[in-house]
Amino acid sequence: MALEDAKKQVDLAFTRKERRGLAYENAFGGATSFLRRTYTKDLTDVEIAVTGIPFDQAVTNRTGTRLGPRAIREASTLQPYDPPYGWPFDPLGETTIIDYGDMPFDYAHTPSFPGLVTEHIQTILGSGAASVTLGGDHFITLPILRAYAEKYGPMSVIQFDAHSDLWADDDYDRIDHGTFMYKAVKQGLVDPKRSVQIGIRTECNDYCGMNYIDARTVHEKGIAHVVEQAKALVGNNPTYVTFDIDALDPAYAPGTGTPVWGGLASWQAAAVLRDLAGINIVGGDVVEVSPPFDHGNITAVAGAHVAMELCSLIAWRLKGK
């Protein structure tokens, strides 16, 4: 049936009649919405809204993540033919997921940017949907968390990252991807005692009460240990999962602005994400995919798989699995 459907399906982002279900459009053609979901601003009865925030003006090294959402969408066209492997349900068939498009903003007026992000996510949350955001650099998570904390209170966060992003920075007008978590903790958006950072492998003088599992611990103690620790820390608290693609070793994700050796293998990240099923995840993002530094689009492919897993984790919670 899939091969027959492929002969007739094209531009499903605009032509599909149902918001649920697999898609068999040729991976190399058509409008590249995320997972061939419907492109729409109509949030009626939507459960998960995938949105892009193409911003990279807060980076400390290489730019290019403004092109991340587009690259992740393109990479995702390989995935919607089948349910994601290993999940005992079909999130694409059982969950209403849309592509809400990218957030518009004036690239030359950065002071207005954080507020626009918060308003953008507030609109999604206000409809009753969860957001999965495609970045963009990691600064975007701070204004996203403002919207989530407004709805849920101080969040538990599971952060996959090479860096803690806890550089001390008490100038709240500064926009910096290396200080976003510091500000999120200091502003009470995040409950550090009920949060955890996974994959860390750069120095941090003060973790501000955040728990962390460094990359070497992941390698030496294994997936089960990491998942057990993470689940114990976040408990049933509303949890936001943010995945900086540089959590992966540069061998698996060279297309990023601040690569650090010794990181997670893609299989480790996939296993940890999958085994987090059951946490009270209410939203997430994947950030720091920088296509200009990618090779064979492997970083964008990784980003697309992370975003699919985030959707699956949210769907698992929504369905009470």
Side-chain angles (χ1 to χ4, degrees), residues 186-198:
K186 294 298 183 180
Q187 292 178 342
L189 310 178
V190 171
D191 182 348
K193 294 181 180 179
R194 303 183 71 178
S195 300
V196 62
Q197 300 177 318
I198 299 171

Side-chain angles (χ1 to χ4, degrees), residues 2 42 58 60 92 123-124 127 129 156 174 185 194 204 213 218 221 240 244 250-251 257 264 273 283 289 311:
D42 181 3
T60 52
L92 297 180
T123 298
I124 293 171
S127 76
S156 289
R174 288 191 72 252
V185 172
R194 303 183 71 178
C204 177
I213 303 171
V218 178
K221 293 196 174 181
Y240 188 88
D244 187 325
L264 306 185
L273 283 168
V289 172
C311 289

Side-chain angles (χ1 to χ4, degrees), residues 164-185:
S164 66
D165 298 325
L166 287 165
W167 293 344
D169 181 7
D170 294 309
D171 181 351
Y172 290 93
D173 291 327
R174 288 191 72 252
I175 295 176
D176 188 331
H177 72 163
T179 68
F180 90 87
M181 186 55 73
Y182 176 89
K183 292 174 179 176
V185 172

Side-chain angles (χ1 to χ4, degrees), residues 186-219:
K186 294 298 183 180
Q187 292 178 342
L189 310 178
V190 171
D191 182 348
K193 294 181 180 179
R194 303 183 71 178
S195 300
V196 62
Q197 300 177 318
I198 299 171
I200 301 299
R201 53 193 188 279
T202 52
E203 285 298 313
C204 177
N205 294 326
D206 182 359
Y207 278 91
C208 300
M210 289 283 288
N211 303 282
Y212 71 96
I213 303 171
D214 67 14
R216 182 166 180 172
T217 300
V218 178
H219 300 324

